[in-house]
Amino acid sequence: MTEFNHEKLESIIGYTFHDPAMLRQAMCHSSYANEHRAEMLHDNERLEFLGDAVLEVISSDFLFHQYPDMPEGKMTKLRASIVCEPTLAMCAKEIGLEKHLLLGKGEEHTGGRFRNSIISDAMEALIGAIYLDGGFANAKEFVERFVLTDIEHKKLFYDSKTILQEIVQRDFKEEEISYVITGEEGPDHAKRFIVDVRIGDRTMGTGSGSTKKAAEQEAAYRAIIGLKGKNQNVSEKY
């Protein structure tokens, strides 16, 4: 039976559950529940469903008040960049949520602990669990503390490949952008790709991920951050 230290996780997220079993459920992947049927465990899928809705309300309210002049279409796009799978997984990894996941042996063996889809689902399940256990105010406090931060960087991350392409077309004229796989790590069932993004023959950023697309996205994001430091026009526009 996998040990689960709810007190350690509670200290990280800044919320103490009245019912610690709910926190454990939020971290319980279906693969673990299926392998421990005798314990009558519930997986986190229903909590994820609820947390997704709570997150959408909180993020919508935040954007509505934070950007009073922003039109609906732009708010919708910005919200999408905040609550999308890669961004939520990034937020979850910043607090080490993946270390607390309860996974079945098969899912663990195939790299599930580092898979964005599983990590982001757990983040939504955690939001749902806090909402049920402590109400909307506590869920809102958690989301504002761990998700609704550094909005501009999250927007860049979500749109990184598109934004980098626009920057290259605008500022680098004749030079082409390319993504090159420079390495692979891990066994076939849990492989991670290392990708460089190049403008002409210059490497501008490096990223890694469980898929080539995820690695390219991170590489593009790193390139944009680097360019922002060198060119104020990039920062002003994006």
Side-chain angles (χ1 to χ4, degrees), residues 12-13 39 62 78 91 105 110 125 168 175 180 198 207 217:
I12 293 170
I13 65 176
E39 298 175 38
F62 177 86
L78 183 52
C91 295
K105 293 178 181 178
T110 56
V168 170
E175 295 189 87
V180 181
R198 297 174 183 171
Q217 181 184 34

Side-chain angles (χ1 to χ4, degrees), residues 75-129:
M75 282 198 299
T76 298
K77 185 177 181 181
L78 183 52
R79 183 181 63 196
S81 72
I82 297 168
V83 303
C84 70
E85 178 183 295
T87 307
L88 275 183
M90 180 172 66
C91 295
K93 290 174 185 176
E94 287 176 352
I95 61 175
L97 196 65
E98 74 280 1
K99 299 174 185 176
H100 300 273
L101 294 175
L102 295 170
L103 299 176
K105 293 178 181 178
E107 195 63 60
E108 185 79 69
H109 182 65
T110 56
R113 190 169 299 277
F114 306 101
R115 192 168 296 129
N116 280 357
S117 58
I118 291 177
I119 299 171
S120 63
D121 287 351
M123 189 68 162
E124 289 181 331
L126 177 56
I127 293 167

